[in-house]
């Protein structure tokens, strides 16, 4: 029997309650200084609007959404973006890997990445691409999990409280294992 205080699942539809929980994770990550598209402070309503838009893409099967849940609710998430040009049917992008600060350093990030790779295999996607802020916790995580580091793009984005950050591009060839 598993004694983990959290579990993972794929959501094929996203309820309004789940949108609220996903918004709380996003707001917490921005509050914690993560460079994940938004500037600080991120209002909960705005975060909910973002997730409502993502939920439409989930319903249309343009994206796959994985969540980790603990006793409080959703505490982590990652997405696989499946809608790509017709000349890239074997590829997908990994995006919005977020773990609430209350749930970090328990292996949830690593488990979400392994699970998203399994979803990709299930969708016959054999090449995955992502980018992440250079020097952050996520860069270490992807390297630890065997993702190949391509290189850095300087001045790619702003940190949530201002100041440029570089991004590091990674890929994972799922035919290689
Ligand atoms: C990057 C991020 C997703 C990692 O999530 P996480 O759930 O903490 O990831 P893990 O628990 O798998 O690994 C994190 C660390 O905890 C350690 N760890 C894992 N399980 C552990 C355990 N049971 N006990 C102690 N440490 C543990 C890992 O070795 C790793 O150590 P390191 O940071 O020194 O390399 C999280 O920090 C986050 O959401 N950051 C902000 C958002 C962000 O930047 N997202 C990336 C966008 S691309």
């Amino acid at each position: 029997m598993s004694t983990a205080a959290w579990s993972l699942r794929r959501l094929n539809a996203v309820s309004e309650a789940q949108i609220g929980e996903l918004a709380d994770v996003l707001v917490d990550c921005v509050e914690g200084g993560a460079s994940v598209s938004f500037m600080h402070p991120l209002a909960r309503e705005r975060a909910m609007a973002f997730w409502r838009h993502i939920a439409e893409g989930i319903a249309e099967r343009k994206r796959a959404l994985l969540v980790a849940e603990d006793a409080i609710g959703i505490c982590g998430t990652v997405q696989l973006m499946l809608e790509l040009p017709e000349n890239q049917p074997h590829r997908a992008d990994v995006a919005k890997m977020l773990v609430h600060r209350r749930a970090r350093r328990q292996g949830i990030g690593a488990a979400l990445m392994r699970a998203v790779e399994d979803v990709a295999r299930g969708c016959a996607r054999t090449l995955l691409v992502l980018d992440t802020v250079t020097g952050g916790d996520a860069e270490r995580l992807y390297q630890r999990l065997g993702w190949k580091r391509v290189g850095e793009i300087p001045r790619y984005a702003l940190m949530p409280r201002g100041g440029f950050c570089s991004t590091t591009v990674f890929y994972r060839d799922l035919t290689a294992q």
Side-chain angles (χ1 to χ4, degrees), residues 29 34-36 96-100 103-111 131-133 137-138 140-142 144:
C29 286
S35 176
V36 285
K96 286 286 174 300
M97 156 70 104
L98 307 166
V99 176
H100 194 289
R104 289 191 190 162
R105 304 190 68 82
Q106 300 178 47
I108 292 175
D131 70 88
T132 190
V133 64
D137 293 341
R140 228 168 27 253
L141 173 68
Y142 303 139
R144 183 155 42 89

Side-chain angles (χ1 to χ4, degrees), residues 3 18 50 57 73 86 94-95 101 106 112 115 139 147 161-162 175:
T3 54
Q18 288 165 332
F50 167 79
E86 65 184 23
V94 173
R101 285 177 291 178
Q106 300 178 47
L112 283 167
E139 183 176 4
W147 283 62
R161 290 177 175 81
T175 66

Side-chain angles (χ1 to χ4, degrees), residues 75-98:
C75 60
T77 181
V78 69
Q79 289 172 50
L80 193 65
M81 292 155 76
L82 297 162
E83 192 185 39
L84 288 174
E86 65 184 23
N87 69 342
Q88 297 162 42
H90 57 297
R91 201 172 80 65
D93 291 322
V94 173
K96 286 286 174 300
M97 156 70 104
L98 307 166

